[in-house]
Amino acid sequence: MALNDSLPCCLPRGLLFWGSRFSRLVLSLVVIGSFSVASVADTDSVNKLTGDEVFATVGDQVITVGEFSQYLREAMRQKFYHPNIPKEQAEPFMRDAGEKLVERTLLLMEAENRGVVLDDAVLAEKLVALERKYERNPDWAGQREQLLPSLKKKVREESLLSELERQVKETGDLSDSAIREYYDNHSDKFTQPEQRRASVILLKVPPSSGPDVWESAHDKAVGIRKKLLAGDDFSQLAREFSEDVTAANGGDMGLQHFGVLGPQAESILIDLDVGNVSEPAMLLEGVVLLKLTGIVPPVLTPYDQVKLRAKGLLRRELGELAWKRLVFELNQSTKVEVNEKYYQ
């Protein structure tokens, strides 16, 4: 019974226009990865951000206002799918987008500094796959030569970022002792939660029924409960009266984790002692009687049975920590200056 009540910054300026159908196509084409950010008030406010003025310097790298503008346009599409966003969200959006663009630049610089090596054959395959996706579009055929250099750069940049992240996250102590320590310190992740076994007698009532129908079902449930308290067998009465799918099994719903049943049914069961039957309760499906027939306490799964899972969880947590540490250290060690007037 179910008792359940970002666009990279380096495309040539002048290439992208908000109203161009093909520009939207190209934008979606070149973004291999995307950034989830908020959005600005409208297109006009973004279109004003053009030119070679300096939006930010990141170490010895310069991000122009035009590049920031292009990044904002795609961020708007990625998040909101339309150009008109409440003005009160404009500054938080632009600030968040600016921070992500700076972070992206820092990571690309780090990938280059580390000498991250890419497989040229893999890059070529990615480029071919993208071209095949759009080769039948007549606009693409007409502008392919103009767009191809930028597209190649995007593919390379996204590949660099992915490879850098992979390398950074493949660090950390994954020795047997470290895995065992993780298991010991995170026993909740490897513990089978408490389960309760219950049986039900359901007297169905259509939700649209009037008070008299509900009252009649409630009175019938009261009578059945009296029989149970007098010693009648629950499973026999469930087969006789219950309209739930479990009736053929004497109302037995089997073992249930909390969260599987609806909150009202679970609140009834949690207050019952094993062997006791609840008062009649009105749920969405009708009137029910619930009997708690058993409790299985939480059980910690032995280490040997979950060692591989513990290793995977530890690897993921160490990887995420290493990545966050890298981003933090890059921000701390690299001089970044942002012209915040462009957030207004």
Side-chain angles (χ1 to χ4, degrees):
M1 176 182 180
L3 301 174
N4 292 320
D5 31 26
S6 68
L7 176 66
C9 63
C10 304
L11 285 178
R13 283 179 296 280
L15 179 61
L16 304 177
F17 305 92
W18 185 267
S20 165
R21 174 175 61 86
F22 185 53
S23 297
R24 293 194 293 271
L25 173 67
V26 172
L27 276 168
S28 64
L29 172 68
V30 300
V31 179
I32 313 303
S34 63
F35 295 86
S36 179
V37 294
S39 192
V40 296
D42 52 50
T43 308
D44 291 339
S45 62
V46 176
N47 288 338
K48 293 176 183 177
L49 301 177
T50 58
D52 296 323
E53 295 87 355
V54 175
F55 163 69
T57 57
V58 183
D60 59 359
Q61 300 291 315
V62 173
I63 302 175
T64 68
V65 175
E67 291 164 348
F68 180 47
S69 173
Q70 291 172 359
Y71 184 88
L72 291 175
R73 290 191 186 100
E74 179 57 25
M76 292 167 68
R77 293 178 177 85
Q78 292 291 327
K79 182 69 176 181
F80 295 99
Y81 307 105
H82 59 77
N84 298 312
I85 308 302
K87 290 185 177 181
E88 63 270 14
Q89 297 187 35
E91 184 174 344
F93 158 73
M94 299 177 83
R95 187 174 298 276
D96 187 44
E99 290 172 357
K100 285 181 169 60
L101 184 55
V102 167
E103 179 181 304
R104 175 186 174 83
T105 304
L106 285 168
L107 291 169
L108 284 170
M109 292 168 61
E110 178 67 10
E112 296 288 357
N113 290 337
R114 292 191 180 202
V116 173
V117 177
L118 299 176
D119 188 329
D120 290 337
V122 174
L123 292 177
E125 288 178 4
K126 290 181 178 179
L127 189 61
V128 169
L130 287 173
E131 286 202 77
R132 285 176 178 170
K133 184 176 180 180
Y134 295 100
E135 63 186 1
R136 296 182 180 179
N137 186 293
D139 295 318
W140 166 253
Q143 298 192 42
R144 177 182 180 277
E145 295 305 316
Q146 180 186 4
L147 298 175
L148 199 55
S150 296
L151 182 57
K152 287 180 178 178
K153 188 170 186 178
K154 295 312 124 204
V155 171
R156 182 177 182 277
E157 287 181 350
E158 294 303 326
S159 298
L160 276 173
L161 292 174
S162 296
E163 179 61 16
L164 174 65
E165 183 173 4
R166 185 193 68 79
Q167 292 182 11
V168 170
K169 288 185 175 182
E170 284 190 354
T171 58
D173 184 5
L174 292 175
S175 63
D176 288 343
S177 60
I179 299 170
R180 180 67 199 222
E181 182 180 1
Y182 181 84
Y183 169 84
D184 292 337
N185 292 336
H186 298 82
S187 58
D188 57 304
K189 296 181 182 294
F190 310 103
T191 298
Q192 178 80 8
E194 178 184 280
Q195 294 177 290
R196 296 197 168 206
R197 187 162 195 160
S199 295
V200 63
I201 294 175
L202 169 66
L203 306 179
K204 285 188 176 181
V205 179
S208 59
S209 299
D212 55 332
V213 179
W214 283 96
E215 184 177 353
S216 175
H218 182 272
D219 291 343
K220 184 176 180 180
V222 169
I224 295 173
R225 186 171 187 271
K226 287 181 179 178
K227 292 183 179 182
L228 292 170
L229 296 179
D232 283 18
D233 181 63
F234 190 99
S235 60
Q236 181 178 341
L237 292 179
R239 292 186 180 93
E240 181 179 351
F241 294 106
S242 181
E243 299 172 87
D244 187 57
V245 293
T246 62
N249 294 327
D252 181 21
M253 294 190 292
L255 290 171
Q256 303 280 346
H257 295 291
F258 275 96
V260 174
L261 301 177
Q264 188 177 355
E266 290 183 346
S267 68
I268 295 170
L269 289 175
I270 202 170
D271 291 331
L272 286 178
D273 293 326
V274 175
N276 286 358
V277 178
S278 71
E279 297 281 350
M282 290 185 288
L283 303 183
L284 180 62
E285 296 90 341
V287 180
V288 297
L289 295 168
L290 293 169
K291 180 180 180 179
L292 183 63
T293 59
I295 297 177
V296 178
V299 178
L300 177 63
T301 306
Y303 174 70
D304 290 343
Q305 296 180 24
V306 293
K307 179 179 178 180
L308 289 179
R309 178 166 173 260
K311 182 178 181 179
L313 291 173
L314 177 58
R315 176 187 286 112
R316 184 176 67 185
E317 290 192 16
L318 290 176
E320 292 298 330
L321 181 61
W323 185 251
K324 290 179 180 179
R325 185 184 297 116
L326 173 64
V327 173
F328 175 79
E329 291 174 350
L330 290 176
N331 276 284
Q332 293 297 308
S333 63
T334 307
K335 184 178 181 181
V336 176
E337 294 183 348
V338 178
N339 193 337
E340 297 204 357
K341 74 177 184 180
Y342 295 111
Y343 289 151
Q344 305 303 317

